[in-house]
Amino acid sequence: AGQGDVRMEGHEDGIKCLTEWGDHVCSGSWDGKVRLWNKRTLQCDRTIDVGVAVLSMCVFGDKLVVGDDMGCLSVWGAGEEKERKVMAHALCVVALAASGGRLFSGSWDKTVKCWFVTPEGEWRCERTLRGHTGFVSCLMEWRGKLLSGSSDGSVIAWDVGTGALEAKMKEGKDAEGQVGGLAATGGMIYSLSTDGTLRE
């Protein structure tokens, strides 16, 4: 704040995702790197080499979880080495969200998977959520529910605890473009679409 228009450079390809992690803002890129930018100095304090294109990120507990274009999740902590790599999906992982002590991953394979960590530190898939006919493009936690948007133009509300599909919205003739993002304010949910619309 108060530093005006600051240009933070370092990636060698386009930036796909951003998230906050402690004292840093993390940027994930098609160049296979995650850069950790100090919120105070705006300098890059650390670079994580994922090795393949970074498509999504989420903070889960005190860890940074990265989704990549090979369908994997990689888990990073304060150390320099990745703590775990999980083969999560058949296709790339483009969305991540945390809710209710679980991590959810969304993929081009049209599924959402629910993950939990055992007391021994093992990552396990608790359930696979199916309901979209197109790839999953975005995920968001909202009031104890998980919302997923898809290229089929629909938004699904899932029960976080049971994985039950509670509602499916915006499908059929009203869905002319894919859902590219979700946001919520108060009691309203907004979706943005590739057809140029913002819907409530």
Side-chain angles (χ1 to χ4, degrees):
Q3 299 189 47
D5 185 5
V6 178
R7 190 179 181 93
M8 295 141 67
E9 298 181 338
H11 286 294
E12 298 175 356
D13 206 337
I15 295 172
K16 181 65 173 65
C17 48
L18 295 169
T19 194
E20 288 186 88
W21 187 25
D23 295 328
H24 295 88
V25 174
C26 305
S27 56
S29 169
W30 291 97
D31 66 8
K33 306 288 198 307
V34 174
R35 290 185 175 268
L36 277 62
W37 306 92
N38 188 293
K39 291 180 184 178
R40 182 177 59 83
T41 67
L42 303 183
Q43 298 299 307
C44 181
D45 288 343
R46 178 184 173 192
T47 300
I48 295 173
D49 187 358
V50 179
V52 293
V54 176
L55 304 183
S56 54
M57 294 186 296
C58 182
V59 174
F60 186 51
D62 61 350
K63 310 297 183 186
L64 178 69
V65 182
V66 176
D68 66 39
D69 70 347
M70 299 299 289
C72 294
L73 302 176
S74 55
V75 183
W76 303 83
E80 292 299 317
E81 300 296 323
K82 73 171 163 281
E83 298 186 0
R84 190 165 300 276
K85 187 171 185 177
V86 180
M87 186 63 209
H89 290 268
L91 297 174
C92 53
V93 180
V94 295
L96 293 169
S99 180
R102 300 293 191 264
L103 181 80
F104 295 86
S105 58
S107 170
W108 276 15
D109 67 9
K110 305 178 185 179
T111 70
V112 176
K113 292 192 176 184
C114 174
W115 302 88
F116 73 100
V117 181
T118 69
E120 296 74 31
E122 293 294 323
W123 281 66
R124 294 183 183 173
C125 180
E126 187 172 53
R127 60 179 63 93
T128 299
L129 311 181
R130 294 181 172 88
H132 289 295
T133 58
F135 68 79
V136 178
S137 54
C138 50
L139 296 172
M140 186 183 74
E141 189 276 337
W142 182 68
R143 294 188 173 183
K145 309 297 180 186
L146 179 75
L147 304 180
S148 59
S150 170
S151 64
D152 63 15
S154 70
V155 176
I156 292 179
W158 309 89
D159 183 281
V160 170
T162 66
L165 191 161
E166 295 198 340
K168 188 170 184 177
M169 303 156 277
K170 304 187 195 311
E171 66 173 340
K173 65 179 181 179
D174 192 43
E176 298 175 358
Q178 72 183 46
V179 177
L182 295 166
T185 178
M188 304 305 299
I189 303 167
Y190 299 87
S191 66
L192 62 89
S193 171
T194 56
D195 65 7
T197 63
L198 176 68
R199 303 186 183 189
E200 181 182 78

